[in-house]
């Protein structure tokens, strides 16, 4: 079934300022949608049910992209589990409940591939959910995301709500977080190689052994997939979104080195955690519907580094001041 969304329909992008939300706003604008609703954190605390209800009552969105959340890499997940669990569970609960109360026609909830068991068979299919223990380094975040999926399914079952859930692989691109204390591996490596080059250093330290395998999707491809799913998908449970292709962390670091600091030497700190040994998604369900990514990894990383360089003095989180570069 295809959802025919009028170009003037009120569409709420929850989390519009983040990596994913900003990409969805760009994608919707390119499609010609004219009534995109957003709310900054200082305008609306998505953890506050009363405030979210008031906002929905006042703005009456027909479609919702629920992509807001507290996110981070291994270090952030390992040191702030309570924050990751509380913030994300509350954000998912308030928005989903308000969407039900105020008659939202369709909601897309964005999860994460970390919902799947640490040792799930690879590539990971959607039915691997809840079949084994989670990766300990991001368990709190994963539990919150699993709860969000089940919440959407529960509202679908009990109230007939048209709420769907998409599970992206590791993301990167414009508006990413480059703060070494809270970022994911790809933007963290861009920052590390950039800083080393700026300081004239020849060695760059990389956490772990370099052997884990990861899949990476440019956020503009994800935004395209989200718009596609909002229009073309209406099933319960998660649907994977990714490339279906993975690389080792060493290979990723070598690609970033070649783009940012070609003369750098890679130094692996094997006392640091690797995380899951491999994580690549089976994307056969979404590709069977007719969607495929278009941005190659090396091309996407080069474009992301150009964005990083262009925004060094913009105050983006983790983007270093222009003088450093």
């Amino acid at each position: 079934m295809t959802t025919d969304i009028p170009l003037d329909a009120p569409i709420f992008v929850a989390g519009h300022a983040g990596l994913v939300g900003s990409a969805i706003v760009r994608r919707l604008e390119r499609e010609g949608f004219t009534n995109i609703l957003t709310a900054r954190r200082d305008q609306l605390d998505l953890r506050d049910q009363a405030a979210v209800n008031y906002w929905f009552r006042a703005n009456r969105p027909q479609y919702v992209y629920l992509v807001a959340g507290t996110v981070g890499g291994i270090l952030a997940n390992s040191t702030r589990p309570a924050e990751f669990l509380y913030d994300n569970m509350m954000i998912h609960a308030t928005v989903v409940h308000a969407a039900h109360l105020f008659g939202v026609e369709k909601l897309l909830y964005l999860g994460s591939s970390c919902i799947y068991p640490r040792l799930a068979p690879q590539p990971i299919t959607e039915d691997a959910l809840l079949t084994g223990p989670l990766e300990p380094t991001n368990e709190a975040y994963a539990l919150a995301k699993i709860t969000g999926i089940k919440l959407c399914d529960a509202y679908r079952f009990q109230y007939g709500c048209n709420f769907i859930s998409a599970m992206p692989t590791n993301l990167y691109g414009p508006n990413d977080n480059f703060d070494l204390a809270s970022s994911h591996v790809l933007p963290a490596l861009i920052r590390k190689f950039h800083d080393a080059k700026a300081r004239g250093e020849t060695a760059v330290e990389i956490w772990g052994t370099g052997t884990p395998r990861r899949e990476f999707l440019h956020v503009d491809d994800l935004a395209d997939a989200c718009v596609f799913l909002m229009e073309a998908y209406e099933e319960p449970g998660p649907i994977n979104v990714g490339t279906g292709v993975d690389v080792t962390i060493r290979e990723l670091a070598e690609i970033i080195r070649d783009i940012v600091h070609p003369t750098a030497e890679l130094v692996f700190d094997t006392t640091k955690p690797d995380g899951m040994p491999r994580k690549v998604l089976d994307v056969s369900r979404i590709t069977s519907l007719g969607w495929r990514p278009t941005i190659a990894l090396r091309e996407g990383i080069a474009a992301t580094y150009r964005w990083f360089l262009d925004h060094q003095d913009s105050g983006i989180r983790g983007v270093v001041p222009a003088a450093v570069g």
Side-chain angles (χ1 to χ4, degrees):
M1 182 180 295
T2 299
T3 304
D4 186 13
I5 303 176
L7 292 178
D8 62 350
I11 301 174
F12 178 35
V13 181
H16 74 284
L19 171 66
V20 176
S22 60
I24 289 177
V25 170
R26 291 194 302 270
R27 184 69 175 83
L28 291 171
E29 288 174 341
R30 286 200 304 271
E31 285 291 300
F33 289 98
T34 59
N35 195 2
I36 302 170
L37 306 175
T38 60
R40 300 191 310 270
R41 288 185 180 182
D42 60 348
Q43 296 174 318
L44 176 61
D45 184 351
L46 292 175
R47 299 168 300 180
D48 183 337
Q49 186 71 70
V52 173
N53 287 354
Y54 181 87
W55 190 94
F56 269 73
R57 183 183 295 111
N59 292 276
R60 299 286 176 168
Q62 288 181 262
Y63 301 89
V64 174
Y65 289 90
L66 177 46
V67 299
T70 296
V71 299
I74 286 181
L75 177 60
N77 274 274
S78 299
T79 57
R80 296 156 48 204
E83 181 181 348
F84 274 72
L85 190 55
Y86 176 82
D87 282 1
N88 288 299
M89 284 199 307
M90 293 300 292
I91 289 168
H92 307 156
T94 62
V95 176
V96 166
H97 188 60
H100 157 62
L101 290 178
F102 296 99
V104 166
E105 293 188 26
K106 194 169 186 179
L107 176 146
L108 183 147
Y109 166 72
L110 196 74
S112 166
S113 58
C114 72
I115 64 167
Y116 294 118
R118 169 181 169 81
L119 299 178
Q122 305 286 329
I124 307 173
T125 59
E126 288 87 352
D127 58 11
L129 181 64
L130 296 176
T131 59
L134 299 166
E135 162 58 39
T137 57
N138 57 25
E139 183 181 57
Y141 182 68
L143 287 170
K145 288 296 186 180
I146 292 169
T147 302
I149 298 166
K150 294 302 183 180
L151 189 66
C152 288
D153 286 352
Y155 275 77
R156 172 185 286 272
F157 173 79
Q158 185 171 345
Y159 301 115
C161 298
N162 193 4
F163 296 167
I164 62 174
S165 301
M167 298 302 115
T169 189
N170 301 288
L171 302 170
Y172 70 99
N175 281 320
D176 211 338
N177 169 24
F178 295 88
D179 177 18
L180 293 179
S182 58
S183 60
H184 289 99
V185 60
L186 194 154
L189 287 174
I190 288 177
R191 175 71 184 275
K192 282 188 173 185
F193 280 102
H194 175 85
D195 287 357
K197 182 179 179 180
R199 292 192 292 258
E201 297 171 353
T202 58
V204 173
E205 182 184 273
I206 299 163
W207 276 28
T209 63
T211 59
R213 302 188 68 88
R214 294 292 183 270
E215 172 189 16
F216 297 93
L217 180 71
H218 193 282
V219 72
D220 286 344
D221 273 337
L222 174 64
D224 183 69
C226 287
V227 173
F228 173 85
L229 290 170
M230 183 67 89
E231 297 174 346
Y233 183 74
E234 296 196 349
E235 299 298 324
I239 183 168
N240 292 338
V241 184
T243 65
V245 178
D246 60 349
V247 296
T248 66
I249 296 301
R250 174 183 286 275
E251 290 168 338
L252 175 69
E254 289 170 348
I255 293 172
I256 295 173
R257 176 195 61 191
D258 293 347
I259 292 169
V260 179
H261 187 10
T263 60
E265 175 191 0
L266 310 184
V267 178
F268 292 89
D269 182 354
T270 57
T271 66
K272 296 296 193 297
D274 272 336
M276 289 177 67
R278 188 186 185 201
K279 188 170 66 173
V280 59
L281 297 180
D282 182 316
V283 293
S284 57
R285 286 183 65 190
I286 191 169
T287 56
S288 71
L289 296 174
W291 182 86
R292 284 177 171 77
T294 61
I295 302 172
L297 182 59
R298 186 177 293 271
E299 169 196 348
I301 292 174
T304 300
Y305 185 52
R306 289 194 297 271
W307 182 92
F308 175 91
L309 293 174
D310 290 342
H311 291 79
Q312 289 183 77
D313 57 353
S314 65
I316 301 295
R317 184 165 55 136
V319 176
V320 293
V324 175

